Amino acid sequence: MSEGMTKTAARNIFFGGTIFFFVIFVVLTAQSHFYILEESTDVSTLTASVERGKRVWEENACINCHTLFGEGAYFAPELGKVWVKFGGADDPETGRETLKAWMNAMPTGIEGRRQMPQFNLTDQEHEDLAAFFEWISRVDTQNWPPKPAE
Amino acid sequence: MKYQTQKLAYPYFIAAMGLFVAQVLGGAIAGTIYVFPNFLSEIMPFNIIRMIHTNALIVWLLMGFFGAAYYLIPEEAETEIYSPKLAWIQFWLFLFGAAAAVVGYLFGIHEGREFLEQPLWIKVAIVVVALMFLFNITMTLLKGKKTVVAIILTMGLWGLALFFLFAFYNPSNLALDKMYWWYVVHLWVEGVWELILASILAFMLIKMTGVDREVIEKWLYVIVGLALFSGLLGTGHHYYWIGTPGYWQWLGSIFSTLEVFPFLAMVIFSFYIVRKGNRNHPNKAAILWILGCTVLSFFGAGVWGFMHTLAPINYYTHGTQITASHGHLAFFGAYVMINLAIITYAMPHLRGQQPYNQTLNMWSFWIMCSGMCFMTFTLTAAGVLQTHLERVMGLDFMEVQEQIALFYWMRLGSGVVVILGVLLFVYATFSKGKEKQAS
Ligand code: HEM
Ligand code: HEM
Ligand SMILES: [Fe+2]
C-alpha cells in the first residue's frame, strides 16, 4: 500500500494534513462557540441562580447516574427535558414544587428498584437546581431526544 | 535491556497492574448494583463506584503509557533518561494523587463532570506530573537519536497534556461546557492517544520481527495521519445534540466514519509485519497481545463505533447501553491491550527473566478477551432493545430497564470472567518463571 511513497513524503503529508485539519476544526468550533451564544442558548437568562444550579448538579455528581443531553451514565433517566416532564414549561411553580418533592422523596427504598440518594439540599439549592433545569430545557438540541408518538 | 534507566518503567507497570485490578473490581460492584439495586445504595451509591471505575481506568492507562515511554525512549534515542530522579518523583506524586482522589471520592469529595471528577488541586497535580514527565522525555530525546517512533510517541504525550488543559475550563453555559469537554475526551481517545498506541505498536514490531525500520516508520506516519485527519473533525459525532450547529451532523457523520480506517490500517499493518518478519522471537505472548490489540480495537472502536456514529442512527441510540458496549470494547481493545502488550513484552527484560509464564499469560489473554467480547454483546443486545422500546416506542426509562434486566445479569457474569483473566495476567506476570525458554 505505502510501498510507492517515500518516508519523507509520508511525513510531510502527516504534518501538513494535521495542521490543515486542526485549523479547520478550531475555526469551526469557534463558529460553534458563537452559534451557542447567539442562537442555541438563551444567554440573557443565564442568571446567577442557573449558574449555582449547575454547581449543585456537579457537586453531587448527578452525571454519574443520569445523562444530560444524552451524555453521562446510563443508570438513571435522561434529565435534559425533566423540567417539561414536571410541568415547569406551563407553570414554573409546579415545576419547582414537583422537583423539590422528588428530591425530598428520595430514596424510595423500594426493594428491587434502583435508588437515588437523598442529597439534603437547602431551599436555595432547590431553587437553583430548578432554574438550571428550566434553562437547559430551552437549549436548541436539534430536536433531541426523540419524541415517539404517544 | 540495553539502558539502565529503562528500569524506571518497572514501578509504573506495577502500579498500573494494581490499579487495573481495582478498576475491574469497581466495575463488578457497579455491575452488581445493576442487578441488586439496593446493594450498597445507602453507603456507596452507584455514581461514586462508577467514578472510581472510570478514573482508575484512565489513571492506570496513563501509568502504563508513562512506563512504556520510559522503557522505549532510551532504546530509541540510544541514551539514558535525562533525570531518573525526576521520574521517581513524578511516579510517587502521581500515585499519591490517584490514591488521594479515590479516598476523596469515597468521602464525597469530587467535581461533577464525567471522567473529570478530580478536585481542582488534583487536576493541578496531574498537570505538574505531566510537565515533569514531558520535560524528562523531551530532554532525553533532545540529547539522543530522534527516531520517528520516539517523535510520534512524544507528540502524542504532549497532545495528551495540552488537551487536558481544557479540563480547567468549565463555563456556566452547559452547551459550551459540553463542547469543550469533548476536547479532552474525544481528542484523547480518537486523537492523540492513537499516536501513543501506534508508536508503541511500531516499537514492539521493530524489536520483535526484525522487519526494516524504514518500512515500519512509513506505516506509522500513514496510520497516525489517517487517525488525525479523520479524528479531529470526527469530534463532530458528539456535536449532534448538545446545542451545537446542525452542520455537525454532516461533518461528524462523514469524518467519524473515516475514523475506522486508522484502526483497519493497524490490523493490516500488524499482521503484515508479523508475517513478513522472520525472526523467531521467543515472546509469543507479546505477539498475541499485539495482534489481539489491533483486532479488538478495530472491532471495538471501528465497528462498534461506526454502528452508532451516523447522525440519523445516533439520534436514537445516543446515551443508551449501545454507548456503554462501544465504550467498553474500544477502551479495552485499544488502550488496555496495548498496555498489556508492552507489559508482556517488557517484563521479562525488566525482571531479568526468560519469558516467564507464557502459557498462563496466553490463557489470561483468551479469558479476558472472551469475557470482554461477551460483555459487549450483551450490552449491545440490551442497547438495541432499549433504543427500540424507549426511543421508538416511547416507553418510560425505568420500565424499559426492567425488561432488559436479564442482560445485566449476563454482563455481570462476563465481568467476573474478565476479572479472573485480569488476576491470572497479574499472577503470570509477577510469579517466578519456572518455565524454561522454549528455544
Ligand atoms: C478492562 C475492562 C474494562 C474497561 C476498559 C471498562 C471501561 C468502562 C468505561 C469507559 C465506562 C464508561 C462508559 C461510558 O461512559 O460509555 C465504564 C462503565 C461501566 N463499566 Fe466498565 N470497564 C471494564 C470492565 C468492567 C467490568 C469487568 C465490569 C463489571 C461487570 C464493568 C461494568 C461497568 C459498569 C456497570 C459501568 C457503568 C455503565 C453505566 O453508566 O450504566 N466494567 N467502563
Ligand atoms: C479507541 C478508540 C475509542 C474509544 C476508547 C472510544 C470510547 C468511547 C466512550 C467511552 C464513549 C462514551 C462517552 C460518554 O461517556 O459519553 C464513546 C462515545 C462514542 N463513540 Fe467512541 N471510542 C473510540 C473510537 C470511536 C470511533 C472510531 C468511532 C466511530 C467510528 C466512535 C464513535 C462514538 C460515538 C458515535 C459515540 C457517542 C455515543 C452516544 O451518542 O452516546 N468511537 N466512545
Ligand atoms: Fe468520539
Side-chain angles (χ1 to χ4, degrees):
Chain A
M1 163 195 167
S2 52
E3 302 294 350
M5 201 195 310
T6 67
K7 197 168 93 183
T8 321
R11 187 194 63 200
N12 293 344
I13 294 172
F14 167 65
F15 283 107
T18 298
I19 292 169
F20 176 76
F21 284 106
F22 187 68
V23 169
I24 297 184
F25 177 65
V26 170
V27 169
L28 288 179
T29 39
Q31 197 277 336
S32 302
H33 189 119
F34 288 109
Y35 173 90
I36 288 171
L37 295 181
E38 303 288 331
E39 309 269 342
S40 65
T41 69
D42 182 4
V43 179
S44 67
T45 53
L46 208 172
T47 59
S49 178
V50 176
E51 213 167 305
R52 286 194 304 269
K54 183 168 184 274
R55 222 165 300 137
V56 173
W57 170 264
E58 289 171 358
E59 275 162 9
N60 295 292
C62 316
I63 197 74
N64 275 303
C65 284
H66 291 278
T67 52
L68 204 56
F69 296 175
E71 294 168 4
Y74 321 111
F75 183 74
E78 157 71 27
L79 294 179
K81 290 269 189 270
V82 75
W83 181 251
V84 179
K85 178 177 173 182
F86 282 0
D90 300 323
D91 175 20
E93 200 45 49
T94 311
R96 274 191 289 273
E97 287 307 317
T98 316
L99 178 63
K100 189 171 170 180
W102 176 276
M103 299 301 290
N104 284 333
M106 296 294 117
T108 59
I110 299 172
E111 195 59 38
R113 190 174 174 94
R114 293 183 195 167
Q115 297 298 306
M116 168 164 153
Q118 176 52 249
F119 293 104
N120 298 311
L121 302 184
T122 63
D123 283 346
Q124 181 66 50
E125 285 170 327
H126 279 122
E127 286 282 311
D128 295 339
L129 195 57
F132 174 65
F133 281 135
E134 189 278 327
W135 189 84
I136 64 163
S137 76
R138 288 182 290 118
V139 173
D140 174 5
T141 55
Q142 310 279 338
N143 285 321
W144 196 89
K147 294 165 223 48
E150 251 85 60
Chain B
M1 215 172 61
K2 299 196 189 75
Y3 298 89
Q4 271 309 311
T5 47
Q6 286 182 284
K7 261 241 131 67
L8 288 167
Y10 197 41
Y12 284 90
F13 287 158
I14 292 175
M17 290 297 86
L19 286 161
F20 185 21
V21 173
Q23 178 234 326
V24 288
L25 290 177
I29 299 175
T32 308
I33 299 178
Y34 254 92
V35 298
F36 294 117
N38 309 81
F39 179 63
L40 293 180
S41 68
E42 306 283 326
I43 26 176
M44 193 57 55
F46 181 85
N47 59 337
I48 302 293
I49 305 285
R50 189 186 200 271
M51 225 179 270
I52 293 173
H53 178 54
T54 56
N55 281 242
L57 170 69
I58 307 292
V59 170
W60 90 255
L61 294 179
L62 292 179
M63 277 281 182
F65 291 158
F66 292 151
Y70 284 127
Y71 186 84
L72 72 78
I73 289 286
E75 221 168 296
E76 285 290 301
E78 297 179 3
T79 177
E80 298 286 352
I81 290 289
Y82 177 74
S83 164
K85 197 158 143 210
L86 195 60
W88 273 105
I89 299 174
Q90 181 215 337
F91 172 75
W92 286 112
L93 184 59
F94 193 41
L95 193 62
F96 171 75
V102 171
V103 174
Y105 293 167
L106 294 176
F107 290 96
I109 302 164
H110 51 70
E111 291 188 8
R113 292 188 299 160
E114 193 193 0
F115 301 129
L116 305 181
E117 294 91 349
Q118 314 79 28
L120 184 65
W121 74 268
I122 295 200
K123 287 201 181 79
V124 173
I126 293 173
V127 171
V128 172
V129 163
L131 286 177
M132 286 179 177
F133 169 75
L134 288 169
F135 173 74
N136 215 352
I137 291 295
T138 309
M139 291 307 282
T140 311
L141 200 60
L142 286 178
K143 74 183 166 92
K145 230 173 103 182
K146 295 153 197 70
T147 66
V148 178
V149 171
I151 287 173
I152 300 286
L153 177 65
T154 310
M155 272 182 69
L157 293 162
W158 269 100
L160 186 158
L162 285 178
F163 287 118
F164 183 71
L165 295 180
F166 284 91
F168 291 93
Y169 179 54
N170 183 5
S172 52
N173 186 319
L174 184 72
L176 284 182
D177 166 4
K178 283 177 172 292
M179 185 170 82
Y180 291 106
W181 181 79
W182 286 110
Y183 266 54
V184 186
V185 179
H186 172 98
L187 291 180
W188 266 17
V189 299
E190 292 156 73
V192 291
W193 284 31
E194 281 184 63
L195 271 59
I196 300 171
L197 166 63
S199 52
I200 297 176
L201 200 65
F203 171 79
M204 286 188 288
L205 288 173
I206 291 173
K207 295 292 154 182
M208 297 178 66
T209 64
V211 171
D212 186 14
R213 180 182 277 275
E214 284 294 305
V215 177
I216 291 183
E217 290 183 336
K218 202 157 62 178
W219 269 93
L220 181 56
Y221 272 130
V222 171
I223 289 168
V224 293
L226 287 173
L228 291 185
F229 300 172
S230 62
L232 286 164
L233 289 173
T235 316
H237 65 183
H238 305 294
Y239 292 170
Y240 299 154
W241 331 113
I242 61 169
T244 26
Y247 60 72
W248 285 112
Q249 290 173 31
W250 284 99
L251 278 179
S253 297
I254 293 167
F255 280 89
S256 66
T257 299
L258 299 175
E259 283 182 38
V260 177
F261 290 101
F263 289 100
L264 181 60
M266 278 189 262
V267 178
I268 300 172
F269 167 60
S270 61
F271 277 84
Y272 168 70
I273 299 292
V274 166
R275 184 164 303 179
K276 192 174 154 128
N278 44 16
R279 198 187 293 175
N280 201 1
H281 199 280
N283 199 335
K284 293 281 178 293
I287 300 269
L288 185 63
W289 281 103
I290 289 172
L291 297 178
C293 168
T294 63
V295 169
L296 280 193
S297 62
F298 170 68
F299 278 100
V303 179
W304 255 256
F306 176 68
M307 193 164 76
H308 60 157
T309 207
L310 299 175
I313 295 175
N314 190 264
Y315 183 65
Y316 292 100
T317 59
H318 183 45
T320 61
Q321 296 296 330
I322 297 276
T323 312
S325 72
H326 156 70
H328 275 91
L329 199 60
F331 256 112
F332 178 76
Y335 302 116
V336 170
M337 289 182 79
I338 193 66
N339 267 300
L340 300 185
I342 184 81
I343 289 174
T344 300
Y345 169 76
M347 266 311 171
H349 303 296
L350 291 171
R351 303 181 70 220
Q353 281 183 345
Q354 300 299 349
Y356 43 98
N357 250 322
Q358 290 275 318
T359 327
L360 282 188
N361 179 302
M362 291 199 205
W363 270 101
S364 81
F365 171 93
W366 291 110
I367 294 172
M368 227 189 286
C369 291
S370 0
M372 286 311 290
C373 288
F374 192 74
M375 184 188 294
T376 307
F377 300 147
T378 60
L379 289 176
T380 309
V384 170
L385 280 170
Q386 183 189 359
T387 302
H388 183 73
L389 293 173
E390 187 187 329
R391 301 287 169 75
V392 182
M393 307 288 287
L395 268 67
D396 171 66
F397 175 92
M398 293 297 281
E399 212 174 304
V400 172
Q401 293 299 311
E402 267 172 44
Q403 304 222 8
I404 57 182
L406 174 66
F407 296 102
Y408 297 131
W409 278 104
M410 299 203 277
R411 184 252 305 268
L412 183 58
S414 44
V416 171
V417 174
V418 173
I419 292 175
L420 293 179
V422 174
L423 294 176
L424 187 59
F425 181 90
V426 174
Y427 175 77
T429 308
F430 292 107
S431 62
K432 289 250 178 296
K434 289 189 212 83
E435 252 173 279
K436 289 280 166 288
Q437 190 182 337
S439 57

